[in-house]
């Protein structure tokens, strides 16, 4: 198709989650509350870890990064939806859509890579405790996070540039509340073979690699834990993995439910699953880690008490 035809569409229309004004109002307040909880919860996690030197360890360094990514991940989609509701519009410009897609892919993959790095950290702590401090040095932790950022940004750039090459001729209505790559790709009136191939190969590798590494790490962890003679020792070893396993199960469970189903079956159910993935999961992660982790509970308590004391006359 002619290169000129690619400029026919200057904006997309986001259908959102409901066309009923009453439901839209309820959804607006619900999403606003969830977003505020997400921001406050993840900021508290980052502040507690940054200010409390007693938990300056690799595990909490990775957790602080995960909270930052979750905060950014939620901020990619929710604020735009809230602004559209306030302004009584449902459009998003072509450039905004491409940018939203880029950051959505980046932060989605970054979540997976951080969960992989955290699994490796737990493997070293439980299976190689004598080598833990020498291997998991601050320099290596920073390097692992930096490499993850580079890979995920390059991957997002690849898919965004390929999407920008597609033509969008007539239909510009996205049946979603944000620019999810799959529904946007379906709107194209040009050949999407290369895009589909990259999603299947490169995208598949970006999904399978962290998931496989996490699975292998936990196979070694569980096999090592089963050798511990005392029940108390087993419980203590597994207690450090409980929060991470819960987040991993939630993250990959929703991804598999949305993106590993046949393309023809994309429906309203998948939209609901996307809401859980993009809105609910970033909100739940701080609660999962703070409620199941004694060190985080104490750090948050010290942070809140410090704030209270500083505000006292």
């Amino acid at each position: 198709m002619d290169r000129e035809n690619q400029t026919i569409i200057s904006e997309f229309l986001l259908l959102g989650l409901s066309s009923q004004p009453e439901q839209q109002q309820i959804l607006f307040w619900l999403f606003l509350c969830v977003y505020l909880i997400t921001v406050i919860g993840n900021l508290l996690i980052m502040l507690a870890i940054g200010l409390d030197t007693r938990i300056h360890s690799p595990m909490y360094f990775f957790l602080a990064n995960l909270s930052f990514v979750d905060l950014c991940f939620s901020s990619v989609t929710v604020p735009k939806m809230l602004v559209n509701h306030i302004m009584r519009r449902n459009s998003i410009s072509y450039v905004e859509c491409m940018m939203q897609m880029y950051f959505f892919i980046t932060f989605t993959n970054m979540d997976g890579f951080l969960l992989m790095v955290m699994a490796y950290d737990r493997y070293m702590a439980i299976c190689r405790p004598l080598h833990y401090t020498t291997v998991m040095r601050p320099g290596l932790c920073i390097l692992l996070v930096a490499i993850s950022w580079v890979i995920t940004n390059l991957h997002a750039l690849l898919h965004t540039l390929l999407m920008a090459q597609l033509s969008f001729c007539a239909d510009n209505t996205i049946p979603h509340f944000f620019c999810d790559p799959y529904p946007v790709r379906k709107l194209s009136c040009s050949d999407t073979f290369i895009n589909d191939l990259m999603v299947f190969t490169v995208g598949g590798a970006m999904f399978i690699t962290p998931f496989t590494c996490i699975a292998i790490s936990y196979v070694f962890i569980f096999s090592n834990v089963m050798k511990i003679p005392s029940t108390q020792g087993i419980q203590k070893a597994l207690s450090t993995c409980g929060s991470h396993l819960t987040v991993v199960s939630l993250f990959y469970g929703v991804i598999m439910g949305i993106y590993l189903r046949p393309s023809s079956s994309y429906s309203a159910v998948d939209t609901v699953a996307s809401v859980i993935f993009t809105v609910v999961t970033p909100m739940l992660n701080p609660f999962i880690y703070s409620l199941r982790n004694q060190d985080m509970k104490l750090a948050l308590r010290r942070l809140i008490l410090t704030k209270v004391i500083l505000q006292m006359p």
Side-chain angles (χ1 to χ4, degrees):
M1 183 170 290
D2 235 15
R3 178 76 181 171
E4 315 177 330
N5 291 335
Q6 295 186 353
T7 60
I8 292 176
I9 296 296
S10 61
E11 65 177 17
F12 294 97
L13 298 179
L14 300 169
L15 290 185
L17 301 175
S18 174
S19 59
Q20 302 297 320
E22 299 82 8
Q23 292 181 358
Q24 288 177 355
Q25 192 68 20
I26 294 170
L27 288 170
F28 170 81
W29 289 108
L30 181 62
F31 273 57
L32 178 61
C33 291
V34 170
Y35 181 65
L36 289 175
I37 294 170
T38 301
V39 172
I40 294 168
N42 283 292
L43 280 177
L44 283 174
I45 293 286
M46 288 187 284
L47 283 171
I49 293 172
L51 298 175
D52 196 332
T53 56
R54 280 163 286 200
I55 55 172
H56 281 185
S57 65
M59 181 175 74
Y60 294 107
F61 170 73
F62 297 135
L63 177 56
N65 277 273
L66 183 66
S67 290
F68 173 74
V69 170
D70 282 338
L71 176 58
C72 295
F73 184 40
S74 186
S75 298
V76 168
T77 57
V78 180
K80 177 62 179 176
M81 190 206 75
L82 298 176
V83 169
N84 276 2
H85 179 83
I86 294 170
M87 302 298 291
R88 302 294 179 187
R89 68 186 184 195
N90 61 346
S91 63
I92 182 170
S93 71
Y94 179 86
V95 174
E96 283 181 308
C97 186
M98 293 298 113
M99 288 178 63
Q100 193 178 66
M101 196 181 307
Y102 173 85
F103 287 113
F104 173 78
I105 296 170
T106 298
F107 293 128
T108 299
N109 286 317
M110 194 61 196
D111 253 340
F113 272 71
L114 282 174
L115 291 173
M116 173 183 69
V117 171
M118 292 170 81
Y120 175 70
D121 174 74
R122 291 300 83 207
Y123 161 77
M124 289 301 301
I126 294 173
C127 301
R128 300 287 186 271
L130 298 179
H131 303 283
Y132 182 76
T133 53
T134 55
V135 173
M136 299 304 292
R137 301 181 309 277
L140 177 64
C141 296
I142 294 170
L143 181 64
L144 289 172
V145 173
I147 290 173
S148 298
W149 276 114
V150 171
I151 293 173
T152 53
N153 274 278
L154 289 176
H155 177 245
L157 184 63
L158 169 67
H159 287 289
T160 307
L161 290 176
L162 287 173
M163 190 71 75
Q165 298 303 309
L166 298 179
S167 305
F168 299 93
C169 306
D171 187 7
N172 67 336
T173 304
I174 302 173
H176 218 322
F177 71 97
F178 73 99
C179 286
D180 189 325
Y182 173 74
V184 174
R185 195 167 71 250
K186 294 290 286 183
L187 294 178
S188 174
C189 56
S190 56
D191 186 11
T192 61
F193 174 76
I194 298 297
N195 299 69
D196 295 334
L197 182 64
M198 289 298 102
V199 169
F200 182 75
T201 54
V202 182
M206 292 290 287
F207 170 83
I208 292 171
T209 302
F211 182 77
T212 304
C213 291
I214 291 169
I216 291 172
S217 295
Y218 274 102
V219 167
F220 282 107
I221 287 171
F222 287 132
S223 63
N224 193 274
V225 165
M226 289 302 106
K227 298 174 184 176
I228 299 175
S230 67
T231 307
Q232 188 177 2
I234 293 175
Q235 290 176 345
K236 184 178 179 181
L238 292 179
S239 66
T240 62
C241 303
S243 302
H244 182 255
L245 269 176
T246 305
V247 173
V248 167
S249 302
L250 186 61
F251 178 77
Y252 281 104
V254 178
I255 285 185
M256 289 177 181
I258 302 171
Y259 297 107
L260 296 189
R261 294 171 61 183
S263 59
S264 59
S265 68
Y266 194 89
S267 64
V269 176
D270 298 288
T271 303
V272 173
S274 294
V275 171
I276 296 172
F277 179 58
T278 57
V279 181
V280 179
T281 303
M283 178 195 70
L284 290 179
N285 285 354
F287 291 98
I288 292 170
Y289 276 101
S290 60
L291 293 175
R292 296 179 61 95
N293 189 302
Q294 193 62 32
D295 290 336
M296 273 310 308
K297 284 183 186 177
L298 293 172
L300 287 169
R301 195 173 299 153
R302 284 191 289 265
L303 175 66
I304 294 168
L305 286 174
T306 302
K307 294 289 183 184
V308 171
I309 292 169
L310 288 174
Q311 289 177 0
M312 289 176 64

